[in-house]
Each structure stands twice: as structure tokens, then as C-alpha cells.
Amino acid sequence: MLSGIYVPLITPFAASGEVAFDALEKLAARALDQGAAGLVALGTTGEPSTLTPAERREVVRICRDVTASYGTQLIVGDLELTDGATAALVTVPAFVRPGERGVIAHFEQLAGRTPVPLVIYHIPYRTGQALTAATLRRLGEHPMIAGVKYATGAVDQDAIELLGDLPQDFSVLAGDDTYLSPMLALGATGGILASAHLHTHSFVSMAASWDRALGHRLAAMSALLFAEPNPTVIKGVLHAHGLIPTPDVRLPLVPATAESVARALDWGA
């Protein structure tokens, strides 16, 4: 069962525009040193659509080696690069809007041939396809579907119904950073959270022992980090702390404004 906090790593870039693999390795180790249950390689936060195939392979290799050395878990956002991974993070097919019967058929087919368990990435404001609790419950009964990253932009009725009646060994991980606290209160077992690049230990503590006051503080920080498209503000803050060589992102993203980064840096000051 998947539980705890998973950090979906950014992809740091050098001033030359190349991937700063050494910085990536240090970020991975830093997150695990602070108690993260594992890493996510090639999640949305890592800008995978802008990476070359060779860059994607190297990102996964580094994350695999680091998690192996710590004895922690690795979730990979690419079904073609799952060697050594715990699970694969797979979105509902975007733009197609196949309906829930189509989604069930799609995931059952993937689950029948995947080498590792699947984590469904339920993010309807990106994919255009909402799923009910009943659909997620049915998918969760498949032995090769381990859980869902729940990122609907709300704590909605389907989340309440799903968490109230989960299939055995099926995990619900919070996927919207600002909603970690209420999702944990309802029974989520952890989260896949870009904000956990920062104050990772606090997110880990929150997942281990729900604390309303800490939840409010972390939600406020997450809101600041998502004031502009992810991961631009996070990269700006990591760069300001000297953890990555540049705050750069690849098009179509552009770096966060100095104002947004400054507001995030002021959190907790």
C-alpha cells in the first residue's frame, strides 16, 4: 500500500539549458533525507514533455539509484521506463474524453500488461474527463492498480464516497497540495505533492499525524507556490536557496515573476 509523502521532482536546468543532473541527484537525496516515502520521476512537475528521450532515461536512472540506496519507493510517469520502479503514474487519456466506460477499459487493458502496478492520475481540469467514486472503486479492485493521485481541484463528494469505501490495498494520495489536510482527515494515506520540495519534513509529519494548524500553514505555502504555473515558483524558491543552478524552465513555461517568488520566500519568515 502506498503511503506517506512522495516528491514529484522538478528537472533543474543549468545556465547552458542542459539538465543539471548533479542538482537533481542532490534534490532527490535531500527529499529522502527529510523522510519522504519516495520520489516521482517524470511527473508533471518535472516538465517531461520538454525533455529528450535521453534526458528522460537519465532522470529515471538517477531517481532509481537514489531511491534504491535509501530503500524507498520510486513512481515513474512513463510506462516505458519502469525498470526498478515501484509503480507507474498514468493519467486518464487527455482530450479524448472517452467516458467512464472507456476509461475503465483503457486502464484495465494497461493493467493487464504493465510490469509494475499503476497509480491513476485523476486530474480532470487537465484531462477533461471526470471520474466518479464508483469508477475509481471498480478500477481499484484490479490487482495491478495500486491507487489514485486525486487532484480534482476540490474535496468533492466523489472523494468522500471513495475514501469511505475503498477497495482492499487501494491507496488514495492527495494530489492537490492545498487540500492535503482535508484529504488526510478523510482517510487519504499520503500525497504526491510538488510543494514538498520545501519543508519536506513538515509534510512528512503532517501525513504521519494529522495536525490541523500545520495543515493550514502548509496549505498557505502551497497556495503561494502555485500562484503561477507549476513548477515555476518552486524553481524560483529552490534557486534562491541555492539548491538548483537556475530557476529556468522550458517553453511553453516561462520563469515566475520576482514578486511571486518573493512572496513564497517570505512564507514563514
Side-chain angles (χ1 to χ4, degrees), residues 121 123 125 149-151 173-177 183 190-194 226:
Y121 189 178
I123 185 164
Y125 52 86
K149 177 182 178 181
Y150 202 90
L173 300 172
D176 286 310
D177 299 36
M183 288 293 286
I192 297 175
L193 306 169
F226 279 79

Side-chain angles (χ1 to χ4, degrees), residues 171-182:
S171 301
V172 176
L173 300 172
D176 286 310
D177 299 36
T178 54
Y179 293 116
L180 173 64
S181 179

Side-chain angles (χ1 to χ4, degrees), residues 2-262:
L2 301 170
S3 63
I5 297 299
Y6 297 80
V7 180
L9 287 177
I10 63 143
T11 302
F13 298 118
S16 64
E18 297 178 345
V19 176
F21 292 114
D22 56 340
L24 176 68
E25 185 174 6
K26 290 176 182 177
L27 280 179
R30 180 175 178 271
L32 299 179
D33 280 335
Q34 293 191 42
L39 306 174
V40 178
L42 303 180
T44 307
T45 305
E47 304 171 68
S49 63
T50 71
L51 303 180
T52 67
E55 289 172 335
R56 292 164 68 92
R57 288 192 297 272
E58 184 64 6
V59 165
V60 172
R61 184 197 66 77
I62 288 170
C63 292
R64 182 177 61 240
D65 289 352
V66 173
T67 52
S69 70
Y70 280 79
T72 54
Q73 297 179 328
L74 173 64
I75 300 173
V76 176
D78 188 329
L79 276 171
E80 303 300 320
L81 297 172
T82 57
D83 184 39
T86 306
L89 183 64
V90 186
T91 63
V92 173
F95 302 107
V96 180
R97 301 183 71 182
E100 293 189 79
R101 289 193 304 117
V103 170
I104 290 170
H106 171 73
F107 276 107
E108 287 182 341
Q109 182 188 63
L110 288 181
R113 59 183 176 86
T114 178
V116 297
L118 304 180
V119 176
I120 298 167
Y121 189 178
H122 181 33
I123 185 164
Y125 52 86
R126 289 185 184 269
T127 66
Q129 176 70 62
L131 301 178
T132 63
T135 291
L136 289 169
R137 193 176 295 116
R138 173 169 168 176
L139 288 169
E141 291 171 352
H142 195 291
M144 288 301 289
I145 298 181
V148 59
K149 177 182 178 181
Y150 202 90
T152 64
V155 179
D156 53 24
Q157 186 62 34
D158 284 303
I160 294 169
E161 292 179 8
L162 177 64
L163 285 161
D165 183 20
L166 286 174
Q168 186 175 2
D169 298 325
F170 182 75
S171 301
V172 176
L173 300 172
D176 286 310
D177 299 36
T178 54
Y179 293 116
L180 173 64
S181 179
M183 288 293 286
L184 290 172
L186 287 168
T189 57
I192 297 175
L193 306 169
S195 300
H197 279 86
L198 304 163
H199 301 280
T200 310
H201 59 283
S202 294
F203 283 96
V204 171
S205 176
M206 183 69 195
S209 180
W210 182 75
D211 180 324
R212 183 174 63 181
L214 177 58
H216 282 303
R217 282 180 50 77
L218 292 176
M221 182 187 75
S222 294
L224 293 170
L225 293 174
F226 279 79
E228 297 190 36
N230 183 47
T232 62
V233 180
I234 291 171
K235 280 191 162 184
V237 173
L238 291 173
H239 175 61
H241 286 313
L243 297 172
I244 57 176
T246 74
D248 295 350
V249 289
R250 287 180 177 173
L251 290 171
L253 294 174
V254 294
T257 61
E259 292 78 10
S260 290
V261 173

